[in-house]
Structure formats: C-alpha cells, structure tokens
Amino acid sequence: MNLPMTLIGALTAIVVMALVTYLTRAGGVLVMSRVPIGPKVERFINAMAGSVLVAVITPMAVHGDGAARLALLATLGVMLILRKPLPAIAAGIVSAALWRFWVSL
Amino acid sequence: MSARLDLPGTLSGIKRMAPLSLFVIVFGLAFGVAALQRGLSGLETLLMSALVFAGASQFAALELWGPQIPLIALIATTFAINARHLLMGAALYPWLRHLPTRQRYASLTVLSDANWAMAAADHQRGETNVGMLVGGGLAIWLAWMIGTLMGVVFGSGITDPERYGLDVIMGCFLLAMLVGGKRDLSMLLPWSVAALSALAAMAWLPENSHVIVGALAGGVAGLLVPGKPQKREASA
C-alpha cells in the first residue's frame, strides 16, 4: 500500500510514524503493568536495562571506523578513572575529531 | 521506593541535559537539511520532528520517501528502529508505576535514549523524582526542533557531522551512562551475552533487529546469574 506524496499523503505518513513511535514508547510500560513483577522478572529487567545500551554501543565499536573506536575507548578510560560523564564524553569527541583530521591530512 | 513528578525536578532535568542538547541541535540541523533534499516541505519536516521525535527512524523514513511512500515498509522500519523504547520503558516500569496513570503515559511521550539513560541511573541511585526523564526529554525535544528549524531555514550548514566527530557523541554519551551506573560484576555475563547477540543479529538477522535481540538475550542471561537475596536495582 502506497501513499502518494501529496500534502495529505505526507501528513498521513508522518502521523502514522508518530503513532507507531509512541506505541513503542508506551508499550513496554503498558505490558509490564499487566505482568506481576516477581524476583525473576526483576532480574530480567535489571539485566536487560544495561543490555539495551550494550547492544546499541557494541556494533558502533565493532563496525565503526578508527575514530569511533578510539572515541569509545577514550570515554571508557576516562569514565573508569574519573567517573564523571562530561570529561569522559569530551575526551571521546576530541579523540574522534583528532583522529579524523589526522587521517584526512 | 516511590516516584513523583514536579516542576523543580523537571527544571533540574532540563539543566542537566543542556550540554548534550547543544549537540542534538546539530543533528536536528542535519535532519532538516536532509529532509528538504528528499523533497519534504519545511512544514512536513518540522511536523515530523515534532511528532515522531526519534532521529534514527526519521532519517530512515527519508530513505523511503519518494513519489509513492510505501506505508507498510514505513511502519515496519519505524517500529524496528524504535522497538528498543519498548524495553527501555519496561525497564523504568518499577519506577513509573508509582506515578498516576496520566503522568506516566504523558512522561513517556518524550522518552529517548539520552534522557532514559540518565533517568535509569537516577532510579538506580534511589532517586524518586522522575524529572530527569521528563525535563531531559523536553530539553532534547526542544533542541531537536531548534535544529530542524535551522536546517529548514538555512538549508545548509553542517552536512558532514562525521568530520567533527559529532556522530560518535551519542555512542560516547550512552557508554558513559552505562559505565557510570553502580558497579556490579554480576552484570558482566548478561552484558557480554548482549554484545555477542547484537553482533550476531547484525550479521544474520534482519536489519535493525540487533538492539532488541541483544537486550532480550542479555535479560535472559540475567536470569542465569544467581540473584543476591537483597533487592537489586537497574544497572543502566
């Protein structure tokens, strides 16, 4: 099924996207409010929470270029030492920028 | 453990998200420029940023934009890229269930990666104020809109954010949030499983499935870790 790229078609597409996206935002809470939370469910949720981030970050590190890898490494290093997010993120960005300028020279 | 939502907490959330929001403006600008190039009008571009408010899926939608917009593919792509929200919301449920239903579902309209990560860390520290989720989300939404507007108005600008390392900001931010949480060695197994599953899914499963697969696999692996008798909090 296709929508024509008229104003109405485009607006429909945007509203449909918005509805689908809100469904994902609210859906997890909606489902959980119908699941009794026992110790098992709680352990699942706790492990899953960090795993979401791991699953987002790992492919960036593995499939990313040298700059992305260096940035993540710098962030991890500074974070482990200082335990402050802002210097850690700054270290990551600066590393990536320096790497790209260095490589493109 | 309880939860509340109030103005001071929300304002503090906005303030804490301000530094990252500056970078979100740049991404919004890039989206605005890209959307105009794909033939969206300025109004449509702004409306999409305002209502959808999910960068990765918006960029993906541009790939589908054309004389005919394939509706099923649009729905499938949007759902696949944003399905991680389902798990993020579920992870915050033990916290959000203490809010009145209306506030709970209104707060979720601004759920996105960065404010979720900071809110999950707040929750883990025993914070009862969910202002980080709402305030942080509002800050990102506003920055996303300002950026999109700038992209629509100026039509050019930073079109290669890669050069300045801007594309890695979100990765660095999320990594800092992950490592900054409570140190808990029992998470090493689930996180390793999550990492490997995500990579496997990326290699062999349909596009955009890797976050869901990795997160669910990590959650299941968490069931194998012997639970401590006392209550444990989320580790994000």
Side-chain angles (χ1 to χ4, degrees):
Chain A
M1 193 178 145
N2 291 314
L3 293 171
M5 204 177 72
T6 56
L7 180 62
I8 298 299
L11 291 186
T12 309
I14 290 166
V15 169
V16 166
M17 278 183 77
L19 289 177
V20 171
T21 306
Y22 181 69
L23 188 76
T24 64
R25 289 192 161 110
V29 169
L30 202 63
V31 170
M32 290 310 293
S33 66
R34 280 155 179 73
V35 176
I37 300 193
K40 267 199 164 176
V41 174
E42 197 178 325
R43 256 156 66 198
F44 178 81
I45 290 178
N46 285 346
M48 188 188 70
S51 296
V52 176
L53 295 181
V54 172
V56 170
I57 298 164
T58 309
M60 288 187 191
V62 172
H63 299 292
D65 64 346
R69 287 180 196 167
L70 186 68
L72 291 172
L73 205 63
T75 302
L76 183 65
V78 175
M79 198 62 207
L80 287 177
I81 297 165
L82 295 181
R83 311 205 60 176
K84 291 206 176 85
L86 276 183
I89 296 163
I93 297 166
V94 170
S95 314
L98 286 178
W99 176 281
R100 297 236 170 95
F101 278 114
W102 176 274
V103 168
S104 66
L105 275 180
Chain B
M1 178 64 75
S2 67
R4 72 202 149 84
L5 176 62
D6 56 21
L7 191 61
T10 304
L11 289 177
S12 138
I14 293 176
K15 219 178 279 173
R16 286 167 63 198
M17 191 55 83
L20 189 76
S21 298
L22 295 180
F23 296 112
V24 173
I25 293 180
V26 178
F27 286 108
L29 199 156
F31 173 74
V33 172
L36 287 194
Q37 282 167 356
R38 290 296 297 194
L40 276 81
S41 70
L43 178 73
E44 290 161 0
T45 306
L46 285 167
L47 209 60
M48 192 192 279
S49 278
L51 297 180
V52 180
F53 179 47
S57 63
Q58 289 179 226
F59 273 105
L62 295 186
E63 298 301 313
L64 299 173
W65 224 260
Q68 300 280 313
I69 305 164
L71 190 59
I72 302 298
L74 184 71
I75 292 174
T77 306
T78 306
F79 183 80
I81 293 178
N82 292 329
R84 68 184 187 288
H85 291 143
L86 289 166
L87 308 180
M88 288 157 49
L92 283 187
Y93 177 71
W95 204 28
L96 295 180
R97 70 175 160 172
H98 300 291
L99 286 182
T101 311
R102 255 202 193 163
Q103 283 186 12
R104 194 191 303 161
Y105 289 103
S107 304
L108 288 166
T109 55
V110 289
L111 174 77
S112 73
D113 296 328
N115 59 329
W116 174 78
M118 288 179 82
D122 274 9
H123 170 49
Q124 183 189 319
R125 277 196 300 271
E127 173 68 60
T128 57
N129 201 313
V130 300
M132 187 62 239
L133 180 70
V134 177
L138 289 174
I140 297 174
W141 184 85
L142 194 64
W144 185 237
M145 287 309 291
I146 292 172
T148 305
L149 182 66
M150 285 167 66
V152 165
V153 171
F154 300 120
S156 63
I158 300 180
T159 46
D160 58 339
E162 289 81 14
R163 184 170 169 86
Y164 304 97
L166 295 178
D167 58 321
V168 300
I169 292 171
M170 198 44 89
C172 293
F173 178 84
L174 295 177
L175 180 62
M177 291 300 117
L178 179 70
V179 181
K182 193 165 57 183
R183 298 289 159 81
D184 185 354
L185 285 180
S186 70
M187 282 300 144
L188 278 182
L189 174 70
W191 290 2
S192 308
V193 169
L196 293 176
S197 316
L199 291 177
M202 217 165 183
W204 295 302
L205 292 180
E207 243 184 304
N208 299 321
S209 68
H210 64 278
V211 175
I212 313 297
V213 171
L216 289 178
V220 171
L223 294 176
L224 304 175
V225 179
K228 292 173 198 152
Q230 76 273 26
K231 199 165 167 262
R232 288 195 324 202
E233 294 297 332
S235 300

